[in-house]
């Protein structure tokens, strides 16, 4: 996206580059937040705190407290799994985006080469048209010249025959 934004006109380029920087900083913030949440130390510390509180009150805890503790542990496990899934999805999406950008860059290069080739062909067609026009003019001039020569020769033959027959 950065490469494409830099190739745009200046009036659009500056606003897109600012948005792109914001998106990059947001992405980095999300990545660090995901790393912080999914780190083993944080989960282990939270789990230990929950278990220690439950262990201290084990003798006096009711069945309701134990079930809430188990529900909290399960909820924490599900949340951790969802965060891991989200992180995996983010990485897959990022890889897909990079792949798409590379494909688009390659297609852009192909289109630019085709555009240059088309201009070369267009120039050659223009030159060919000029050459054909010149050849057509010369051909018409040669036809008129040959016709004039033939007419002069026919008139000369008629003139010679006329003088030979009249004498």
């Amino acid at each position: 996206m950065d490469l494409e934004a830099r190739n745009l006109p200046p009036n659009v380029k500056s606003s897109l580059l600012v948005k792109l920087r914001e998106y990059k900083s947001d992405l980095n913030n999300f990545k660090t937040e995901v790393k912080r949440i999914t780190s083993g130390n944080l989960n282990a510390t939270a789990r230990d705190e929950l278990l220690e509180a439950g262990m201290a009150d084990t003798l006096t805890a009711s069945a309701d407290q134990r079930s809430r503790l188990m529900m909290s542990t399960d909820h924490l496990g599900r949340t951790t799994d969802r965060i891991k899934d989200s992180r995996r999805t983010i990485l897959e999406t990022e890889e897909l985006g990079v792949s798409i950008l590379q494909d688009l860059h390659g297609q852009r290069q192909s289109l630019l080469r085709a555009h240059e080739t088309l201009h070369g062909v267009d120039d050659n067609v223009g030159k060919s048209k000029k050459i054909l026009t010149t050849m057509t003019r010369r051909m018409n001039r040669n036809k008129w010249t040959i016709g004039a020569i033939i007419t002069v020769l026919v008139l000369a033959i008629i003139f010679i025959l006329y003088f030979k027959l009249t004498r």
Side-chain angles (χ1 to χ4, degrees), residues 29-44:
N29 290 339
F30 288 138
K31 284 181 180 179
T32 56
E33 183 69 21
V34 167
K35 285 180 184 178
R36 186 183 62 80
I37 290 173
T38 59
S39 69
N41 294 338
L42 181 63
N43 290 338

Side-chain angles (χ1 to χ4, degrees), residues 6-160:
R6 291 183 191 278
N7 290 333
L8 293 174
N11 57 350
V12 178
K13 179 175 153 180
S14 61
S15 64
L16 287 179
L17 286 175
V18 168
K19 286 181 183 179
L20 186 62
R21 283 188 205 109
E22 290 174 6
Y23 293 148
K24 282 182 180 180
S25 67
D26 288 345
L27 179 63
N28 287 333
N29 290 339
F30 288 138
K31 284 181 180 179
T32 56
E33 183 69 21
V34 167
K35 285 180 184 178
R36 186 183 62 80
I37 290 173
T38 59
S39 69
N41 294 338
L42 181 63
N43 290 338
T45 305
R47 185 171 283 143
D48 288 343
E49 287 176 6
L50 286 174
L51 291 176
E52 285 175 9
M55 291 299 228
D57 296 335
T58 303
L59 299 175
T60 59
S62 67
D64 186 42
Q65 288 175 334
R66 286 185 188 144
S67 66
R68 279 189 281 160
L69 178 61
M70 293 300 288
M71 285 178 19
S72 296
T73 305
D74 290 341
H75 182 68
L76 181 62
R78 287 192 307 270
T79 303
T80 302
D81 291 342
R82 276 190 276 158
I83 289 173
K84 286 180 182 178
D85 288 342
S86 297
R87 183 173 186 223
R88 188 176 14 217
T89 304
I90 287 171
L91 292 175
E92 289 173 358
T93 304
E94 185 178 6
E95 289 174 6
L96 180 63
V98 168
S99 173
I100 288 171
L101 283 175
Q102 289 173 344
D103 290 345
L104 287 174
H105 181 70
Q107 290 173 0
R108 182 176 188 270
Q109 294 301 322
S110 297
L111 286 173
L112 289 174
R113 284 191 301 273
H115 189 277
E116 290 171 4
T117 302
L118 181 62
H119 280 297
V121 168
D122 190 34
D123 292 342
N124 289 337
V125 167
K127 289 176 184 177
S128 299
K129 185 176 178 181
K130 288 179 184 177
I131 290 171
L132 287 173
T133 303
T134 304
M135 288 174 65
T136 303
R137 285 182 188 151
R138 285 181 185 169
M139 183 180 68
N140 286 334
R141 186 176 52 206
N142 288 342
K143 281 182 185 177
W144 282 102
T145 304
I146 290 173
I149 291 172
I150 290 173
T151 304
V152 168
L153 289 176
V154 167
L155 288 175
I157 290 172
I158 291 173
F159 184 69
I160 291 173

